[in-house]
Amino acid sequence: TTYYADGDGDTYGSASAPLTSCLASPPSGYVVSNTDCNDANNAVYPGHAELCGNGIDDNCVGGIDEWHVGFR
């Protein structure tokens, strides 16, 4: 199984830090998901609400404030 380092503790890991293991569950500090787009910020992860005006991609969909058309 491949696990991914979760540097910010939000239960989403970074694809750039894989660990292959025979363990049935991830070791401490690792998770099964590799979809975190900012593993240094625990308030940024897939499914998080997009916060208008903070200048970051809160939900990892590749856009900033994308839900609010015409913002800026």
Side-chain angles (χ1 to χ4, degrees), residues 1-65:
T1 303
T2 302
Y3 299 111
Y4 304 91
D6 181 13
D8 58 12
D10 63 3
T11 72
Y12 294 89
S14 171
S16 66
L19 170 75
T20 302
S21 173
C22 296
L23 298 173
S25 60
S28 180
Y30 285 81
V31 293
V32 295
S33 174
N34 68 351
T35 56
D36 200 337
C37 61
N38 183 343
D39 205 33
N41 184 338
N42 67 358
V44 174
Y45 53 86
H48 188 278
E50 188 67 35
L51 303 175
C52 184
N54 68 354
I56 62 174
D57 180 11
D58 303 288
N59 57 9
C60 295
V61 299
I64 297 170
D65 301 326

